[in-house]
Amino acid sequence: MGSAQSKVAQLIETYELASMGAELERAWLGNTGERQSLRDLADRFHQALLMAAIRDAGMDVIDGEPANFYRLLTDDNVSAGKRIEARNRLDRAGIDVDTLEDQFVTYQAIRYYLTEVRGVSYDSESETEQVEQERGTIDRLRSRVETIVRDTVDRLNTADKLTVGEYRVFVNIDIRCQDCGMRYSISDLLDRGGCDCESSLNKSGL
């Protein structure tokens, strides 16, 4: 029942990624090195889908190019021009980029696949699950803001209401602790698990 409801399982079958399930499982459990988060596994899965699409299209690529295509399609710091160039090249090779991106999954889908389809559990999951969930919410909102800004600039540019060359959109969210005075990006703060207040208390012996 679980596999029938799992988008990840269906895509693994569709793209003939027979070894992908075991690869995701090993990476989540840290069996072959440092344990990867569900968010990292989602990126890993998306890259595998892209590489399979490139394979099926018979597209001629060099080592490392599929990973670079994925970066160009998804990285917030990539300019609009570079992103369009990458999409156009994939389109010319016969890859439907819109359909491919619609097949990208959330980290929750990865978790469902691992726990419900493959029956995997990780003891420390509860310690990181909420942080990853909230991080995903912030990332989606930040991506939405970036898209709105880019669409607005493009419309104004097309209507000759604004003049701009090739550009990049930056959406930065920083947090400054009023107690310790330190400032972090939201991503850094989540990765650290807190600001400098705790270390300052430890140094003072409290």
Side-chain angles (χ1 to χ4, degrees):
M1 181 177 179
S3 59
Q5 297 175 343
S6 171
K7 183 178 180 180
V8 174
Q10 292 169 0
L11 288 169
I12 287 175
E13 181 177 356
T14 299
Y15 283 91
E16 299 180 352
L17 301 172
S19 64
M20 195 68 221
E23 183 180 328
L24 292 173
E25 179 177 332
R26 288 193 299 268
W28 194 43
L29 296 176
N31 290 342
T32 57
E34 184 178 353
R35 180 175 183 261
Q36 292 190 331
S37 69
L38 293 169
R39 186 185 181 205
D40 291 335
L41 294 182
D43 282 333
R44 188 169 184 163
F45 183 64
H46 298 161
Q47 289 190 54
L49 294 183
L50 176 57
M51 286 188 285
I54 289 173
R55 174 203 66 202
D56 292 344
M59 184 178 180
D60 188 20
V61 293
I62 61 176
D63 287 346
E65 200 168 13
N68 189 50
F69 272 124
Y70 181 71
R71 180 186 66 82
L72 292 171
L73 292 175
T74 61
D75 194 322
D76 291 341
N77 293 325
V78 172
S79 69
K82 294 292 185 182
R83 195 185 309 277
I84 292 172
E85 183 181 336
R87 291 178 67 91
N88 288 342
R89 186 177 169 201
L90 291 169
D91 283 337
R92 287 195 298 270
I95 298 172
D96 187 336
V97 180
D98 289 334
T99 297
L100 180 66
E101 289 180 333
D102 285 343
Q103 292 174 332
F104 287 174
V105 300
T106 63
Y107 79 87
Q108 292 99 326
I110 297 291
R111 178 184 182 278
Y112 179 86
Y113 170 71
L114 289 170
T115 58
E116 301 300 323
V117 178
R118 295 189 66 88
V120 182
S121 62
Y122 185 78
D123 292 341
S124 299
E125 178 188 347
S126 59
E127 300 175 6
T128 60
E129 189 67 19
Q130 184 176 359
V131 172
E132 290 298 321
Q133 181 177 355
E134 302 300 344
R135 188 198 300 270
T137 299
I138 293 170
D139 286 345
R140 286 191 296 274
L141 290 172
R142 181 162 45 194
S143 178
R144 179 59 179 159
V145 170
E146 180 193 353
T147 299
I148 291 172
V149 172
R150 183 183 296 113
D151 289 347
T152 300
V153 171
D154 288 345
R155 283 197 303 272
L156 292 173
N157 191 31
T158 301
D160 294 327
K161 302 296 184 182
L162 177 71
T163 301
V164 62
E166 185 171 317
Y167 66 91
R168 294 164 65 182
V169 178
F170 297 93
V171 181
N172 299 318
I173 303 174
D174 293 343
I175 292 181
R176 183 180 185 274
C177 177
Q178 297 295 90
D179 294 331
C180 66
M182 297 302 294
R183 178 174 173 173
Y184 305 93
S185 70
I186 182 61
S187 181
D188 286 343
L189 186 64
L190 293 177
D191 288 340
R192 286 172 53 92
C195 64
D196 266 9
C197 285
E198 183 177 355
S199 61
S200 299
L201 288 174
N202 290 337
K203 290 178 181 178
S204 66
L206 297 178

